[in-house]
Amino acid sequence: MAEGRATTVTDEPAAAPGAAAGKHPALLVREAEPLNAGPPPELQRAAFVTPTELFFVRNHAPVPRLDPDAFRLAVRGLVERSLELSLAELGERFPRAEVTATLQCAGQRRDELAAVRPVPGELPWGAEPVSNACWAGVRLADVLTAAGPEPGARHAVFRGLDEVEREGRRFGFGGSVPLAKALSPEVLLATEMNGEPLPPVHGGPLRVVVPGYIGARSVKWLAEIELSSRSSDNYFQAKAYRLYPSHVSKETADPAQAFELGELAVTSTITSPRAGEAVGPGPVRVEGIALAGGGRRVERVELSGDGGATWTPAGLGAEGDGWTWRFFAGEVALVPGRDEIAARAWDSAAQTQPESAAAVWNHKGYMNSSWARVRVRPQRPGEREVG
Amino acid sequence: MAEGRATTVTDEPAAAPGAAAGKHPALLVREAEPLNAGPPPELQRAAFVTPTELFFVRNHAPVPRLDPDAFRLAVRGLVERSLELSLAELGERFPRAEVTATLQCAGQRRDELAAVRPVPGELPWGAEPVSNACWAGVRLADVLTAAGPEPGARHAVFRGLDEVEREGRRFGFGGSVPLAKALSPEVLLATEMNGEPLPPVHGGPLRVVVPGYIGARSVKWLAEIELSSRSSDNYFQAKAYRLYPSHVSKETADPAQAFELGELAVTSTITSPRAGEAVGPGPVRVEGIALAGGGRRVERVELSGDGGATWTPAGLGAEGDGWTWRFFAGEVALVPGRDEIAARAWDSAAQTQPESAAAVWNHKGYMNSSWARVRVRPQRPGEREVG
């Protein structure tokens, strides 16, 4: 990938899906074009700040071919002054800002929901679409303040330059966040990721980064911000990325029954041991990641080897300024006859994860924040581990 | 109760606990002195804004005898200018502000936790310590801005004028909130409740009201605000009102294992039918209240008559500006052989309530946000309901 040059992944010879976009060859690829991929569990905790080549990719259309010199961001709608800004003007008119923030796809751990009942037509994500990066650019609040929000403005509506096809139409991926969130200092118009120009596959030359919210609201290839009295009418806000009740199927779904997803729920993922791995005898070392939404803290992670009858606290790693994941590690004893290890996180609102994926099933397969569970192969004393 | 006069409930002849303080005679009284009481389920949903006589009371010491003319609020610590303000000066120097906000005690529904394992030495609250009022006064943010927070200030530490006895010491009840919360516009220094002077039993002449947080942070008879680099070292922040892990008992508790409670968790309460009430045959009408913490919205409430295997949406009532409860009502079919109705709420972060009280038990009995459940007496077709 040529740094600083907006291009498209389809320009390059593709040895492996994602290779042309600079992605790590070990990524689990759920879809090759558009690219949807993320790191396997053994690489997910490689570093507190995820190397860019390992950061998950969730795209809804091919990466658009953009000329950064010709690129313009439009700010319009319920504003006192409409703006049209080049990348150079963005950098000159507004102070530089940085945030370290974890993004997580609303479909993370969908595979566990699909194991309960089918989730038709959606990517079968496992634990991989959650990663943490250092983002830099300018504050969205500064740009919106320059435009001057009018009193009726309630939502910041984003539109990207990709070309998604849904329901027989082609349109840019879009979504919105409440204006109060858009004006919060952690929300960036990002042009850099981990100290490098924002790669095209991650939304370069410009994307919005909305920490604490589902990844879908961090719209890539951002061309337009409209302040509006209402949330986005884009397919990905009005129909998808909504939480439907569990009794609703794809056939019977009515968006009015669902609510828009925004802040993430507190959740956790076990990265080690892996499913099917031989463990024990004796205490099992468990590692994973936990994440809270909306700026809440991960206050505690607990492990259970007896189906949740008792819990043991895990140790917690570093945290950022409220917008990042926390790693956890600890030991738990598997009760004889049990083969499942569970983890649950608690956030600073004393909220913890619901027990079962069945209890939170929905036909789009979003927001599976149920206990992290991994089924292992317990070894008895004297039994050899068979790799 | 004489309006506008700061007095103590022990001055008056007490026909029933709370009567002298102007409280409704039907309140469920958990403790007479200090008064701890709240409305029974049939009165809890009496109105969206709870009449003051029905608003729950949670006091840790007798109501202090205060002279409002001599009353002063001190603002000190990490500020550029210490302040000492009379009630008249508060009203003159700062603009009037109002908020409609629900307060909920962290011990709400402790009785269900105590039924799992004993919760020694704590009030056996049921559903009653949650109520909603219109508060008025001035914004805490305006007062803090006048004092000028210094760069190292991270917490607003509150101290009241009551005299609590704990661990052989007498001290004013206290607690703290992060400075960012203290500077949020919904946080008030309140001198009025439901259009009347704040009654002494509710903290008059002055209390802080921290919407979205556990009630304990809304310190009554507020005498002092200290900006500090650390949260309060008061017993009620440093030892109580913390969430201890479930494996910790009163004897083994170490505050370092626990985290400070702050924002409320999403929760719900069934107010009708009552426990043991005869219902059916046919669909059962269910009514209740739901509450989300930290400004999150109650987006959905669901009912189950089959132990959570399936859920039916309830209808939702009005909501305020993010700081109030929502009423719900709906119908649910009790599956033959079942005698329990359950409810669960979802907030705007797609978080829902954990399934069982056993899963969230802690020895202080805080934050039981598990599914609301009520055990009823199902009537078979042809069976007469016996009052």
Side-chain angles (χ1 to χ4, degrees), chain A residues 198-243:
Chain A
L198 184 66
V201 76
H202 288 293
L206 185 74
R207 74 180 299 179
V208 62
V209 171
V210 186
Y213 271 51
I214 63 167
R217 306 306 179 219
S218 291
V219 174
K220 298 175 177 178
W221 313 293
L222 183 71
E224 183 184 272
I225 304 168
E226 179 190 358
L227 295 196
S228 171
S229 62
R230 301 198 299 188
S231 58
S232 172
D233 61 3
N234 190 283
Y235 172 87
F236 294 98
Q237 183 96 22
K239 296 187 176 176
Y241 294 114
R242 298 172 80 90
L243 197 70

Side-chain angles (χ1 to χ4, degrees), chain A residues 12 49 59 106 118 159 177 179 184 194 210 214 224 299 365 384:
Chain A
E12 321 269 341
V49 174
N59 287 338
R159 191 175 54 79
V177 300
L179 183 60
S184 287
N194 293 338
V210 186
I214 63 167
E224 183 184 272
E299 294 278 8
R384 285 282 186 97

Side-chain angles (χ1 to χ4, degrees), chain A residues 20-266:
Chain A
K23 304 308 291 185
H24 195 285
L27 292 197
L28 300 171
V29 175
R30 302 293 176 184
E31 191 175 17
E33 183 58 31
L35 184 63
N36 284 288
E42 66 273 17
L43 293 176
Q44 202 164 16
R45 263 174 57 116
F48 180 71
V49 174
T50 310
T52 301
E53 64 175 358
L54 286 174
F55 200 102
F56 81 91
V57 176
R58 202 290 174 246
N59 287 338
H60 296 77
V63 174
R65 185 190 306 257
L66 302 174
D67 174 0
D69 293 331
F71 184 90
R72 295 291 183 278
L73 170 68
V75 183
R76 47 176 292 270
L78 297 177
V79 293
E80 292 165 12
R81 293 163 294 280
S82 294
L83 304 177
E84 194 176 285
L85 298 160
S86 69
L87 292 171
E89 288 169 322
L90 261 184
E92 288 156 12
R93 283 189 58 176
F94 305 100
R96 177 183 164 83
E98 297 183 10
V99 67
T100 301
T102 301
L103 296 187
Q104 180 179 291
C105 178
Q108 200 243 8
R109 292 173 57 205
R110 176 180 285 137
D111 55 347
E112 300 166 21
L113 298 176
V116 174
R117 292 213 295 283
V119 176
E122 303 289 337
L123 291 171
W125 290 116
E128 68 274 17
V130 52
S131 307
N132 187 42
C134 295
W135 310 95
V138 301
R139 291 190 208 288
L140 176 56
D142 290 341
V143 175
L144 294 182
T145 301
E150 291 188 345
R154 291 285 178 276
H155 298 268
V157 179
F158 309 122
R159 191 175 54 79
L161 285 170
D162 49 351
E163 297 192 13
V164 186
E165 292 195 34
R166 288 289 189 287
E167 303 181 325
R169 295 191 308 116
R170 288 173 74 91
F171 54 92
F173 182 93
S176 59
V177 300
L179 183 60
K181 177 68 178 179
L183 293 174
S184 287
E186 71 277 6
V187 180
L188 296 195
L189 297 177
T191 53
E192 294 175 37
M193 178 181 183
N194 293 338
E196 304 280 348
L198 184 66
V201 76
H202 288 293
L206 185 74
R207 74 180 299 179
V208 62
V209 171
V210 186
Y213 271 51
I214 63 167
R217 306 306 179 219
S218 291
V219 174
K220 298 175 177 178
W221 313 293
L222 183 71
E224 183 184 272
I225 304 168
E226 179 190 358
L227 295 196
S228 171
S229 62
R230 301 198 299 188
S231 58
S232 172
D233 61 3
N234 190 283
Y235 172 87
F236 294 98
Q237 183 96 22
K239 296 187 176 176
Y241 294 114
R242 298 172 80 90
L243 197 70
Y244 289 82
S246 55
H247 67 281
V248 172
S249 69
K250 188 176 181 180
E251 290 68 35
T252 63
D254 172 0
Q257 299 169 304
F259 63 87
E260 297 173 351
L261 293 174
E263 288 185 4
L264 290 162
V266 63

Side-chain angles (χ1 to χ4, degrees), chain A residues 269-289:
Chain A
T269 295
I270 294 173
T271 56
S272 175
R274 306 282 305 267
E277 192 173 328
V279 300
V284 181
R285 180 174 169 85
V286 182
E287 296 181 345
I289 54 176

Side-chain angles (χ1 to χ4, degrees), chain A residues 243 296 300 344 351 359, chain B residues 243 266 296 300 344 351 359:
Chain A
L243 197 70
R296 291 174 290 286
R300 178 182 298 155
R344 65 175 183 182
Q351 294 176 133
Chain B
L243 198 70
V266 62
R296 293 176 288 286
R300 178 181 299 155
R344 64 174 184 183
Q351 294 175 132

Side-chain angles (χ1 to χ4, degrees), chain B residues 44-369:
Chain B
Q44 202 164 16
R45 265 176 55 117
F48 180 72
V49 175
T50 309
T52 301
E53 62 173 359
L54 286 173
F55 200 103
F56 82 91
V57 175
R58 203 292 176 244
N59 287 338
H60 295 75
V63 175
R65 187 190 303 256
L66 302 174
D67 174 0
D69 293 331
F71 184 90
R72 296 291 183 277
L73 171 69
V75 183
R76 46 178 291 269
L78 297 177
V79 293
E80 292 165 12
R81 289 166 296 281
S82 294
L83 304 178
E84 192 175 287
L85 298 160
S86 68
L87 292 172
E89 287 168 326
L90 261 183
E92 285 157 14
R93 283 188 59 177
F94 305 100
R96 179 183 163 82
E98 295 182 11
V99 67
T100 301
T102 301
L103 296 187
Q104 181 179 288
C105 178
Q108 201 244 6
R109 291 172 59 205
R110 176 179 287 137
D111 55 348
E112 300 166 21
L113 298 176
V116 174
R117 289 212 297 283
V119 176
E122 302 289 337
L123 292 171
W125 289 117
E128 69 273 15
V130 50
S131 307
N132 187 43
C134 296
W135 310 95
V138 302
R139 290 190 210 287
L140 175 57
D142 290 341
V143 174
L144 295 181
T145 301
E150 290 187 347
R154 290 288 177 274
H155 298 268
V157 179
F158 310 122
R159 191 174 55 78
L161 286 171
D162 50 352
E163 296 192 15
V164 186
E165 292 195 36
R166 287 290 189 287
E167 304 180 325
R169 294 192 310 115
R170 289 173 75 93
F171 54 91
F173 182 94
S176 59
V177 301
L179 183 60
K181 177 67 178 182
L183 294 174
S184 288
E186 71 277 5
V187 180
L188 297 194
L189 297 177
T191 52
E192 294 175 36
M193 178 181 183
N194 294 337
E196 305 280 348
L198 183 65
V201 77
H202 287 293
L206 185 73
R207 75 180 298 178
V208 62
V209 171
V210 185
Y213 270 50
I214 63 165
R217 304 310 178 215
S218 291
V219 174
K220 300 175 175 177
W221 314 292
L222 182 71
E224 184 185 272
I225 304 169
E226 179 189 357
L227 295 196
S228 172
S229 62
R230 302 198 298 187
S231 58
S232 172
D233 60 5
N234 190 282
Y235 172 88
F236 295 98
Q237 184 97 20
K239 296 188 176 176
Y241 295 114
R242 297 172 81 92
L243 198 70
Y244 289 81
S246 55
H247 67 280
V248 172
S249 68
K250 187 176 181 181
E251 290 68 35
T252 63
D254 172 0
Q257 299 169 305
F259 63 87
E260 297 174 349
L261 294 174
E263 288 186 2
L264 290 162
V266 62
T267 192
S268 60
T269 296
I270 295 173
T271 56
S272 174
R274 304 283 304 271
E277 190 174 329
V279 300
V284 180
R285 180 174 170 83
V286 181
E287 295 181 346
I289 55 178
L291 182 64
R296 293 176 288 286
R297 291 184 65 193
V298 172
E299 293 279 7
R300 178 181 299 155
V301 175
E302 297 176 310
L303 308 174
S304 180
D306 58 9
T310 61
W311 295 92
T312 305
L316 289 177
E319 59 182 336
D321 295 328
W323 307 109
T324 67
W325 59 15
R326 291 187 87 168
F327 292 167
F328 64 85
E331 288 194 338
V332 68
L334 256 184
V335 165
R338 295 272 188 178
D339 65 356
E340 189 180 77
I341 293 165
R344 64 174 184 183
W346 294 78
D347 72 10
S348 46
Q351 294 175 132
T352 191
Q353 304 178 232
E355 187 169 328
S356 76
V360 297
W361 185 92
N362 60 92
H363 82 280
K364 295 287 283 181
Y366 295 133
M367 300 302 277
N368 175 21
S369 64

